[in-house]
Amino acid sequence: MITWRKSTRSGGGGAGGQECVEVAQLSEGIGVRDSKHPAACHLSVSAAAFGELLGRIRTGKLDL
């Protein structure tokens, strides 16, 4: 069974709660999906690529 998780910073309402992604540990890496459409397909990335993305976000290297 795959356990999908949302960020703890995701609220129940407003923009913060409406525009979220969920992540899950998959056998082939990390799964990422749109929380508004959980039945739709998901994107799979390697754990290394996902870790690099998180690092770039944390250090402000991406304009998010």
Side-chain angles (χ1 to χ4, degrees):
M1 181 175 164
I2 298 172
T3 302
W4 292 93
R5 298 179 294 137
K6 253 194 250 189
S7 169
T8 56
R9 295 183 183 209
S10 297
Q18 300 299 320
E19 299 176 6
C20 297
V21 296
E22 295 174 320
V23 297
Q25 179 71 49
L26 305 174
S27 60
E28 67 272 15
I30 304 296
V32 182
R33 72 179 184 182
D34 183 345
S35 65
K36 294 182 304 299
H37 304 286
C41 59
H42 66 271
L43 174 68
S44 296
V45 298
S46 70
F50 190 72
E52 182 162 335
L53 172 64
L54 292 180
R56 294 175 61 98
I57 291 169
R58 287 181 184 128
T59 58
K61 292 182 180 174
L62 298 175
D63 185 21
L64 300 175

